[in-house]
Amino acid sequence: MPPPPVLPKPKFQCPVKISAGNIMDEEETMTNITRGRTTVISEYHRNIDKSVAKASSVCTQSSSQDSGWHVWSGWWSEEVKGHAEFGEQETDAEHLPAPSESSSRSDRALQDHEDDTQENVLNEETQNMEKDEDKQEQIKELKLYKIASELLQTERAYVTRLHLLDQVFCARLTEEAGKGMFPVEVVKGIFSNVGSIYTFHSQFLLPDLETRMSQWASTPRIGDILAQLAPFLRMYAEYVKNFDSAMDLLKQWTERSVQFNTIIQDIQSQEVCGNLTLQHHMLEPVQRVPRYEMLLKDYLKKLPEDDPDRSQAKKSLNIISMAATHSNMAIRKMENLKKLMEIYEMLGGEEDIVNPSNELIKEGQILKLAARNTSSMERYLFLFNNMLLYCVPKFSLVGQRFTVRTRVGVEGMKVLETSNEDYPHTFQVSGKERTLELQASSEQDKEDWIKAFQETIEIFQQKNETFKSASKEVADEVSKEELGKRAPRWIRDNEVTMCMKCKEPFNPLTRRRHHCRACGYVVCYKCSDYKASLRYDGNKLNKVCKDCYFIVTGRADAEEPVSGKKRGILEIEAAQVSGNSFLCGFLQYSTDRTKPCQRVWCVIPQHDALVLYLYGAPQDVKAQCTIPLLGYQVEDVQRSVDHPPTSFRLCQSKSVHCFIADTEEVKLRWLKVIHKAVIGEMPECQTPVDDDLANSCHDGVPDGT
């Protein structure tokens, strides 16, 4: 038989092996809820397909025989052909006869089956969700257990460190101190209350944590233990408060006593120290309280809201947070001191670097433009909160890396952005000591430096303004017209050493301090044995000094003998001359090397530039003594065992006056003024002319201005 004629290509192209069954299989990829419904519906349609296919089977077979479909190997397969017929039946559904009663019963059965299937699916999903919730609860419980385990493990390690501090370092040093090697008070000052801290952790907190972790299956909580013992962490306040002085004592006696240093080095070389210094181990109690706070916060995050341990955990967190605040401050101070020590070594032992008041703001390399030919030179800057160190690099791999070329104080410093065609990214820093034109490595680096300078200058000025405002309040005396009408500002007890009226020195037994309620002066009992009605206090009788009594009561004639009395050379008020002086500030003073130095308020007034006035306090109304500077020799004492580097002397014949400044900078200021005064020249004013100096003399802070 000849092959059948080639049929034209249909208008659509079907995928390979597409059938009604495949279509229903695709429907089965839906969700669990629709999966059962799809299966039932597909069975229903397949039954209909069978009846429709049977009715048309005769026509299909005859057509197939006439056209030779059974022998043609083309792409139009019998399966596709049958599917096309099934599609025609679906598209012409409106021509099908109405369903019979049997089909209605099938529909109801189908609906019931769908409802049962959906209920089964929902029950299965509910069970899965319950399993997931149980799994989440187990994960949370496991996280809580891990936090509690970490607390226990770190507590054991911490108790080991405390044992090293108390039972090894402190015990060994105390034993040697008992032999007279060094004072026992030094050991107590270094270790403070570390013994009490060790006892608390080793005998109370650690045993309770170990017991609780062994019973975790029945009692999974730690908040109750910490809430009960957290109040004892307040003992850390004493340790943290003493930490700075302990570090100073440790450093001082390590350098002073060979025996002390030998013991420290011997213990530090032992394996138990882990190649760490005593300073590192002493920092651990400061860091421990913030560690408790961090673990407890993490514990609260994982703890369910309705957990009975939540209230106890919150209570203990509040107590620990207060103790952690103090510890964090001490840690920052320690980190700052550590950084200052590194800078001290890089600068080859530069003076006044390791000082708790110094704070490093920024450091880095920079280029300095020469003033003559604008050539650039590599330099290094250390910007502190009170000064700028302008350094020259040294090509050395170990030891000193920089040499300080200039110190520029932040007081009076200005920073300006400059423009230079040959050298971009330049700015200028000018101070009282020197003006520097600098070049940054990039525009961003320049902006960072300028911002750091501006913020440092602003903070410094704000502190000074606050200080000046407080000082001006001291200087503001109540006028005679306002006496009794306006409450005065009381002069502080530590600002005077003698009665501000009769000028007799105070003592704690026979001449104590009293305040006049009208003018605020500090006077003795004899000068305050008066009472007057003051309007600002509701006309109540108040204790006033003798002068205020006569003014408030209108008996001014009593002042005449006092005003007519000639004042002595020492009867010049310290506040009066300090406000109009070349230089004033606190110095340590002594006339005998064997006697301890006395802290005095020194003033070189502008009206008497060749005389140095020495007061007991900034508000004294009478000087203790005066030193005529003309003819004296000024000696800048070098560093030695008996003399600190900030000391200097005034010598004339057999008269010797020894002074010690607080800092090297303050010492240089005094020497600059005194060097001119001793040869009869007028010194340069070291302070602004607008009474800033007077403002700074009342707070009792050694600013050296």
Side-chain angles (χ1 to χ4, degrees):
M1 179 183 293
V6 178
L7 298 176
K9 188 176 181 179
K11 295 182 180 179
F12 64 93
Q13 185 173 356
C14 297
V16 180
K17 293 185 179 180
I18 294 181
S19 65
N22 288 342
I23 296 175
M24 303 319 298
D25 291 340
E26 292 180 2
E27 294 291 336
E28 291 178 359
T29 60
M30 299 176 64
T31 60
N32 290 334
I33 297 177
T34 60
R35 185 179 300 160
R37 183 186 303 172
T38 303
T39 305
V40 176
I41 293 174
S42 64
E43 291 176 356
Y44 173 71
H45 282 288
R46 284 170 181 169
N47 292 331
I48 296 177
D49 294 342
K50 290 179 181 179
S51 61
V52 175
K54 186 182 293 185
S56 59
S57 61
V58 178
C59 298
T60 305
Q61 291 175 1
S62 61
S63 174
S64 175
Q65 292 173 358
D66 294 339
S67 59
W69 278 100
H70 62 285
V71 294
W72 185 49
S73 58
W75 61 273
W76 189 258
S77 65
E78 182 68 25
E79 188 174 2
V80 175
K81 181 180 176 183
H83 173 60
E85 293 173 353
F86 175 73
E88 291 176 1
Q89 296 295 333
E90 283 188 330
T91 56
D92 296 338
E94 63 270 13
H95 300 294
L96 292 176
S100 61
E101 182 180 355
S102 61
S103 63
S104 300
R105 288 196 298 268
S106 299
D107 291 341
R108 287 194 298 269
L110 173 63
Q111 184 66 35
D112 295 339
H113 183 74
E114 289 179 4
D115 295 340
D116 294 340
T117 302
Q118 184 175 2
E119 183 178 357
N120 293 334
V121 172
L122 292 175
N123 292 335
E124 183 180 353
E125 289 184 351
T126 303
Q127 293 176 0
N128 292 334
M129 292 176 63
E130 291 177 353
K131 292 180 180 179
D132 292 340
E133 291 179 358
D134 293 341
K135 188 176 181 180
Q136 292 296 329
E137 289 295 330
Q138 293 176 359
I139 293 175
K140 288 183 178 180
E141 292 177 0
L142 180 60
K143 289 181 178 179
L144 292 174
Y145 177 78
K146 287 183 177 179
I147 295 173
S149 298
E150 182 179 357
L151 176 61
L152 176 60
Q153 293 171 5
T154 55
E155 186 68 16
R156 287 171 177 165
Y158 177 55
V159 169
T160 302
R161 299 301 182 192
L162 291 177
H163 179 271
L164 178 65
L165 288 174
D166 183 56
Q167 301 298 316
V168 180
F169 277 104
C170 184
R172 176 83 176 277
L173 289 172
T174 303
E175 179 183 355
E176 295 298 327
K179 300 177 182 178
M181 297 290 185
F182 38 82
V184 180
E185 289 74 15
V186 173
V187 182
K188 294 181 179 178
I190 293 175
F191 293 95
S192 185
N193 62 334
V194 70
S196 302
I197 296 175
Y198 171 64
T199 302
F200 165 71
H201 285 272
S202 62
Q203 299 184 13
F204 294 93
L205 183 55
L206 180 58
D208 287 358
L209 288 176
E210 289 178 336
T211 303
R212 177 56 52 87
M213 293 306 297
S214 64
Q215 302 171 354
W216 186 262
S218 60
T219 316
R221 62 178 66 95
I222 58 173
D224 54 341
I225 294 178
L226 295 177
Q228 181 182 1
L229 298 178
F232 292 95
L233 296 178
R234 293 171 182 168
M235 69 175 67
Y236 278 84
E238 180 180 348
Y239 185 88
V240 172
K241 183 179 180 181
N242 185 68
F243 186 77
D244 289 340
S245 60
M247 293 295 101
D248 293 339
L249 269 177
L250 181 58
K251 179 183 177 183
Q252 177 183 352
W253 280 92
T254 301
E255 297 174 352
R256 178 182 296 183
S257 174
V258 177
Q259 296 85 352
F260 187 93
N261 186 38
T262 302
I263 296 172
I264 298 296
Q265 295 297 330
D266 179 48
I267 300 176
Q268 288 179 168
S269 63
Q270 298 178 12
E271 184 179 356
V272 68
C273 281
N275 295 325
L276 296 177
T277 63
L278 174 58
Q279 289 88 335
H280 284 87
H281 292 298
M282 291 185 66
L283 186 60
E284 290 224 12
V286 180
Q287 297 173 329
R288 185 56 184 169
V289 178
R291 180 69 173 171
Y292 287 136
E293 183 184 25
M294 183 185 67
L295 289 173
L296 199 52
K297 285 182 178 179
D298 196 16
Y299 178 77
L300 277 170
K301 287 180 181 179
K302 306 297 188 299
L303 200 64
E305 292 291 336
D306 57 348
D307 195 283
D309 194 35
R310 191 168 188 83
S311 60
Q312 295 292 334
K314 283 186 175 181
K315 178 181 177 182
S316 57
L317 178 61
N318 293 334
I319 300 174
I320 292 175
S321 296
M322 294 177 62
T325 302
H326 299 286
S327 298
N328 288 332
M329 294 176 61
I331 291 174
R332 285 193 292 269
K333 287 184 178 180
M334 183 62 185
E335 292 175 348
N336 183 54
L337 287 175
K338 183 179 179 181
K339 183 62 179 178
L340 294 178
M341 182 62 70
E342 293 176 358
I343 297 174
Y344 175 81
E345 294 175 355
M346 286 191 293
L347 299 179
E350 181 70 15
E351 296 292 338
D352 304 329
I353 297 298
V354 185
N355 190 322
S357 62
N358 292 339
E359 180 182 355
L360 180 66
I361 305 298
K362 185 176 175 60
E363 64 171 303
Q365 292 182 350
I366 205 161
L367 294 178
K368 162 70 170 61
L369 300 184
R372 294 182 179 180
N373 52 15
T374 66
S375 61
S376 59
M377 298 165 286
E378 185 178 348
R379 296 291 183 264
Y380 202 92
L381 300 182
F382 292 97
L383 176 61
F384 294 89
N385 58 327
N386 55 358
M387 62 180 170
L388 170 68
L389 297 184
Y390 170 71
C391 305
V392 178
K394 292 186 66 176
F395 298 99
S396 175
L397 298 178
V398 294
Q400 184 178 358
R401 294 173 51 192
F402 303 100
T403 301
V404 178
R405 181 65 60 86
T406 305
R407 284 193 183 201
V408 182
V410 175
E411 182 181 2
M413 179 184 290
K414 295 180 181 179
V415 57
L416 299 173
E417 184 176 358
T418 58
S419 59
N420 193 316
E421 296 180 357
D422 299 329
Y423 298 93
H425 322 310
T426 59
F427 61 98
Q428 178 179 291
V429 177
S430 60
K432 295 180 179 179
E433 294 82 2
R434 188 171 178 181
T435 297
L436 304 170
E437 188 172 2
L438 307 170
Q439 180 186 11
S441 59
S442 64
E443 189 67 21
Q444 182 63 43
D445 189 28
K446 181 188 76 172
E447 293 177 359
D448 293 343
W449 273 110
I450 292 177
K451 182 180 179 181
F453 275 107
Q454 290 175 342
E455 291 179 352
T456 304
I457 294 171
E458 183 179 356
I459 294 174
F460 187 87
Q461 290 176 347
Q462 288 177 354
K463 291 182 178 180
N464 276 5
E465 288 299 325
T466 304
F467 173 69
K468 292 174 184 177
S469 299
S471 301
K472 286 179 181 178
E473 292 179 2
V474 178
D476 275 344
E477 298 181 0
V478 180
S479 62
K480 291 184 179 181
E481 293 76 14
E482 293 181 317
L483 278 177
K485 301 177 183 178
R486 182 167 65 92
R489 190 271 182 194
W490 285 16
I491 304 297
R492 296 184 179 91
D493 288 349
N494 61 355
E495 293 178 352
V496 294
T497 60
M498 63 185 68
C499 176
M500 300 182 72
K501 293 299 179 180
C502 68
K503 305 175 182 60
E504 292 293 330
F506 289 118
N507 63 71
L509 297 178
T510 60
R511 195 175 296 273
R512 301 176 62 186
R513 292 172 171 84
H514 300 270
H515 278 91
C516 172
R517 268 59 172 179
C519 64
Y521 276 22
V522 183
V523 294
C524 63
Y525 73 97
K526 289 184 178 180
C527 296
S528 64
D529 195 18
Y530 299 86
K531 288 188 177 182
S533 300
L534 302 180
R535 187 182 300 180
Y536 77 85
D537 196 24
N539 291 323
K540 293 180 181 179
L541 289 176
N542 283 269
K543 182 181 291 187
V544 295
C545 66
K546 180 180 179 181
D547 295 343
C548 292
Y549 172 77
F550 289 121
I551 295 174
V552 171
T553 58
R555 304 178 184 179
D557 54 345
E559 291 184 357
E560 295 178 0
V562 178
S563 60
K565 182 180 178 181
K566 186 178 180 180
R567 299 175 63 180
I569 189 173
L570 299 178
E571 295 183 14
I572 302 178
E573 297 182 7
Q576 177 183 349
V577 295
S578 298
N580 190 24
S581 63
F582 289 105
L583 190 61
C584 67
F586 278 110
L587 293 173
Q588 301 287 340
Y589 170 69
S590 175
T591 57
D592 190 351
R593 297 180 183 178
T594 60
K595 295 182 180 180
C597 293
Q598 177 187 2
R599 188 174 177 83
V600 295
W601 180 259
C602 303
V603 183
I604 299 180
Q606 291 186 7
H607 75 275
D608 197 2
L610 305 182
V611 179
L612 175 63
Y613 287 76
L614 277 64
Y615 294 87
Q619 286 290 330
D620 279 356
V621 295
K622 181 181 178 181
Q624 293 182 353
C625 66
T626 60
I627 302 175
L629 298 175
L630 187 63
Y632 270 86
Q633 292 182 354
V634 185
E635 296 182 2
D636 186 357
V637 181
Q638 300 299 321
R639 178 189 292 185
S640 63
V641 179
D642 299 330
H643 301 285
T646 57
S647 61
F648 62 93
R649 288 194 301 233
L650 297 177
C651 304
Q652 188 181 55
S653 184
K654 296 182 179 181
S655 178
V656 179
H657 303 275
C658 302
F659 296 91
I660 302 175
D662 291 328
T663 64
E664 185 74 19
E665 181 181 0
V666 174
K667 169 188 170 181
L668 294 177
R669 288 191 177 189
W670 279 103
L671 291 179
K672 185 176 181 180
V673 174
I674 295 176
H675 271 304
K676 291 193 174 183
V678 295
I679 59 176
E681 295 183 2
M682 289 293 291
E684 297 178 0
C685 185
Q686 297 292 300
T687 57
V689 187
D690 57 354
D691 289 342
D692 286 352
L693 183 56
N695 297 333
S696 66
C697 71
H698 299 285
D699 194 51
V701 180
D703 57 358
T705 54

